[in-house]
Amino acid sequence: MKARRRNVLGLFAFFLFFTLTLTGCSGDNGSTNEAGSPSKGDSQSAVGQKTYKLKMVYPGSPQPDQAKVEEALNKILQPKINASIELMPIDWGQWDNKSNLMIASREKFDILFTAQWNGHAVNVSKGAFLPLNDDGLDKYGNLLKKYGQGVLDTLSPMFLEGAKINGKNYAVPTNKELAAQGGVIYRSDIAKELGLDMTHVKTIQDLEPIFSIVKEKRPDMIPLFLRQGDTFNAHYFAQTDALGDATIPCVILKDQDSTKVVKTSELDRYKETLKMTRDYMKKGFINKDAATTSLGTGDALKAGNVFMIVSPLKPGKDAEMANGINLQGKLKQIEMTAKTVSTGETAGSMLGISTTSDDPVRAMMFINLLHMDKELNNLLNFGIEGMHYRKVSDNIIKATDATKNYSPGASWMFGNQFLNYIWDTEDPQKWDKFKEFNKDAKKSPGLGFTFNAEPVKTEVAALVNVGKEYDPALDTGSVDPEKTLPKYTEKLKAAGLDKIQAEKQKQLDAFLASKTQDRR
């Protein structure tokens, strides 16, 4: 009965989203309480202790002026929660291996970026994250309720409901856009130089003549940069709903209505895309090191020799990325999939508290500040005012010569994105367009459901390892799918894929049945 109540509450929260304005976008979202921190009692009790250094681990390139920004952040954090911060970015290409090693070795750190598409459920089953809404959590109690009131006040409840695993939140979602859409981002200045008509590009197939011209006329450029996780079969492009964790290749199609859980490797769209990607690789359109490169897509564009990347899209993603890599006015985006919403999108960007943290309370206080303290949020995302940017108006900023020294491009990871400043090269109505973007998205038939991997955690762990062995090479076109896919499928089955598929279907069916029963 309790499980059914949770499902009803979660579903009700999701329906609220489509009838009401996002709580996180309300007019009060940019405001901060008197201290810009948790309740005075909580802050004062923390200030009375020894200053604690928080370590936050997240994917991204280390910035030249990171130490200067840390110093500025500490001036805010010390009087509010008596803490300092050590930023620990890890390059995207090394993110999975390094972050997994940190978890496995029980390394001491406090806050870790996590996401549904990046093994969140698997890492929860490994004991990597503290439950944040558990009243019985040792001496800490309910961290969200006690030290995360700013999160609860500003974040739409559907985010927290959708991100739960077995009724518990193991990370705090970023307050941002919800709908998902796949597409490409390209160098518009190069397209203009070469006389390319990009208005006719609607599908992956439409890209072939574009790539041919780029390769012929600009042999110094890579027509299409791919890397592990950013391919035409990536979660945001393939329109698959992994129902809780994208590292588990048993899915439903979120742009369709069927609730039958299928193996990703058996999907026609998956196999067709593998063949096309392989063809593009053989024609020299894709970077040869796509399966192994440690370079992130943003850094690849920034290097200046890449024409196009694939990317999850949202309103103004092109301008947002351009500002982060000093290519203002030189990037454009093309939407190539339908807009969809699944439970996974609520957990698409989160910050979790490590079970190795020596001070989960102050870790929660810091996450809370990122959701309500505009000064702190923008300092982390854009650097120091007057140095890394200048204000044009209260909420509009422009680049300086030093912007390149601190431009992490990670605002979608941290706290409340609706607190973020907007670059003068972006649409000033950006946040309003985020709300519009969400309104007419297709809802996945599995919306509201999150798979609990605990009953098959051994098989899931084995499956993830098989995926690491085969996915990068297959998805980037680095190997022949005709020869490699059968071997991959065989190994997946040997690792327990059928058992996981059956368990996922069983849980989904129970969830859907409970929804039907509750409507009666």
Side-chain angles (χ1 to χ4, degrees):
M1 195 59 128
K2 289 182 180 179
R4 182 177 297 171
R5 272 180 90 185
R6 283 198 299 268
N7 285 335
V8 173
L9 287 171
L11 188 61
F12 177 70
F14 278 98
F15 284 149
L16 274 179
F17 168 68
F18 292 95
T19 56
L20 299 174
T21 300
L22 273 173
T23 302
C25 304
S26 67
D28 293 335
N29 234 20
S31 62
T32 306
N33 69 2
E34 180 180 340
S37 58
S39 67
K40 288 185 178 180
D42 290 335
S43 292
Q44 289 170 354
S45 64
V47 168
Q49 304 165 5
K50 180 181 177 182
T51 299
Y52 181 73
K53 177 183 281 189
L54 291 161
K55 295 182 178 181
M56 184 168 73
V57 184
Y58 56 94
S61 302
Q63 301 294 300
D65 281 355
Q66 182 173 300
K68 293 178 181 178
V69 173
E70 284 180 349
E71 184 180 358
L73 287 167
N74 293 340
K75 289 179 181 178
I76 297 174
L77 291 173
Q78 204 286 326
K80 289 189 174 182
I81 62 173
N82 194 24
S84 62
I85 187 78
E86 179 181 349
L87 304 177
M88 300 174 65
I90 297 173
D91 283 319
W92 274 105
Q94 302 172 349
W95 170 252
D96 286 341
N97 288 336
K98 286 195 172 183
S99 61
N100 287 332
L101 181 60
M102 292 175 77
I103 291 171
S105 65
R106 304 293 295 161
E107 184 173 335
K108 291 274 189 180
F109 60 92
D110 301 282
I111 300 167
L112 180 72
F113 172 82
T114 182
Q116 175 267 345
W117 50 266
N118 197 222
H120 179 62
V122 173
N123 286 328
V124 167
S125 71
K126 293 178 180 177
F129 300 109
L130 288 172
L132 305 181
N133 57 340
D134 187 346
D135 291 323
L137 182 61
D138 300 329
K139 60 184 177 181
Y140 305 116
N142 191 315
L143 288 168
L144 256 177
K145 188 184 295 183
K146 293 172 70 175
Y147 308 106
Q149 199 57 50
V151 173
L152 298 176
D153 287 347
T154 60
L155 187 64
S156 176
M158 57 143 231
F159 278 95
L160 288 169
E161 286 295 330
K164 284 180 178 177
I165 296 178
N166 201 25
K168 294 179 182 178
N169 287 108
Y170 290 88
V172 178
T174 302
N175 196 359
K176 61 184 189 67
E177 89 288 344
L178 183 66
Q181 188 170 35
V184 296
I185 295 177
Y186 68 95
R187 287 283 300 273
S188 56
D189 57 330
I190 302 299
K192 183 177 180 181
E193 173 194 319
L194 301 181
L196 300 175
D197 183 1
M198 305 298 289
T199 61
H200 296 299
V201 174
K202 307 294 181 185
T203 68
I204 300 172
Q205 293 92 328
D206 296 336
L207 293 169
E208 181 165 8
I210 299 294
F211 293 154
S212 294
I213 294 172
V214 173
K215 181 175 173 58
E216 177 189 354
K217 296 186 176 181
R218 287 294 301 266
D220 59 313
M221 295 202 83
I222 297 168
L224 175 66
F225 178 85
L226 296 182
R227 62 178 299 277
Q228 183 180 358
D230 289 306
T231 67
F232 292 127
N233 263 326
H235 63 99
Y236 52 83
F237 218 110
Q239 297 286 277
T240 52
D241 183 348
L243 304 169
D245 197 310
T247 61
I248 304 171
C250 298
V251 302
I252 62 174
L253 297 177
K254 59 183 178 179
D255 59 346
Q256 305 294 323
D257 296 320
S258 173
T259 57
K260 181 181 179 181
V261 176
V262 297
K263 298 178 179 71
T264 306
S265 57
E266 294 179 355
L267 288 170
D268 288 340
R269 65 175 66 176
Y270 170 79
K271 290 184 282 190
E272 289 168 4
T273 300
L274 287 184
K275 290 179 182 178
M276 194 173 306
T277 307
R278 176 60 178 168
D279 182 53
Y280 285 176
M281 174 65 83
K282 289 169 67 177
K283 289 177 177 176
F285 297 159
I286 300 171
N287 50 304
K288 295 297 184 183
D289 64 346
T292 58
T293 181
S294 62
L295 199 63
T297 53
D299 288 332
L301 282 171
K302 187 177 182 179
N305 65 333
V306 167
F307 176 70
M308 181 180 289
I309 63 168
V310 298
S311 178
L313 298 181
K314 58 187 177 183
K317 176 66 178 284
D318 46 5
E320 184 178 288
M321 177 173 275
N323 279 292
I325 57 177
N326 201 30
L327 285 174
Q328 292 88 341
K330 295 180 180 180
L331 298 182
K332 292 291 183 185
Q333 66 188 50
I334 300 175
E335 297 81 13
M336 298 174 72
T337 72
K339 293 187 294 183
T340 57
V341 175
S342 70
T343 308
E345 270 74 68
T346 66
S349 173
M350 303 186 290
L351 293 177
I353 297 177
S354 172
T355 49
T356 64
S357 172
D358 286 330
D359 199 331
V361 168
R362 274 187 277 191
M364 185 70 247
M365 286 180 173
F366 177 75
I367 294 172
N368 188 64
L369 284 171
L370 291 178
H371 279 260
M372 61 189 296
D373 190 309
K374 190 168 185 174
E375 180 185 11
L376 182 78
N377 183 295
N378 284 295
L379 178 56
L380 175 61
N381 282 303
F382 303 111
I384 300 167
E385 181 181 355
M387 180 184 297
H388 302 113
Y389 68 88
R390 298 189 188 280
K391 276 195 168 186
V392 175
S393 62
D394 184 55
N395 209 46
I396 306 295
I397 59 174
K398 67 181 301 182
T400 68
D401 291 340
T403 298
K404 62 182 182 295
N405 294 329
Y406 190 82
S407 188
S411 58
W412 58 277
M413 294 186 203
F414 302 137
N416 183 355
Q417 194 169 14
F418 298 98
L419 295 177
N420 290 172
Y421 296 141
I422 298 173
W423 290 103
D424 61 344
T425 53
E426 296 182 283
D427 189 333
Q429 304 303 315
K430 177 179 179 177
W431 303 131
D432 291 331
K433 290 189 175 181
F434 267 40
K435 289 185 282 183
E436 290 298 317
F437 179 66
N438 291 328
K439 279 185 179 178
D440 58 351
K442 166 75 169 62
K443 291 179 283 185
S444 167
L447 187 65
F449 170 74
T450 299
F451 176 59
N452 177 16
E454 185 63 28
V456 287
K457 64 180 181 181
T458 301
E459 289 80 7
V460 166
L463 212 67
V464 169
N465 288 331
V466 175
K468 288 178 181 177
E469 181 182 353
Y470 283 92
D471 282 333
L474 275 168
D475 287 340
T476 58
S478 302
V479 294
D480 183 355
E482 295 288 343
K483 296 178 180 178
T484 307
L485 187 56
K487 298 177 184 177
Y488 182 29
T489 302
E490 185 179 336
K491 284 203 172 184
L492 287 172
K493 288 187 176 183
L497 182 60
D498 290 336
K499 184 177 179 180
I500 295 170
Q501 181 182 13
E503 179 64 29
K504 189 173 271 194
Q505 186 73 67
K506 175 185 172 183
Q507 291 186 25
L508 178 61
D509 288 345
F511 168 77
L512 296 171
S514 70
K515 283 204 308 182
T516 302
Q517 183 66 35
D518 291 333
R519 287 173 186 163
R520 293 175 181 172

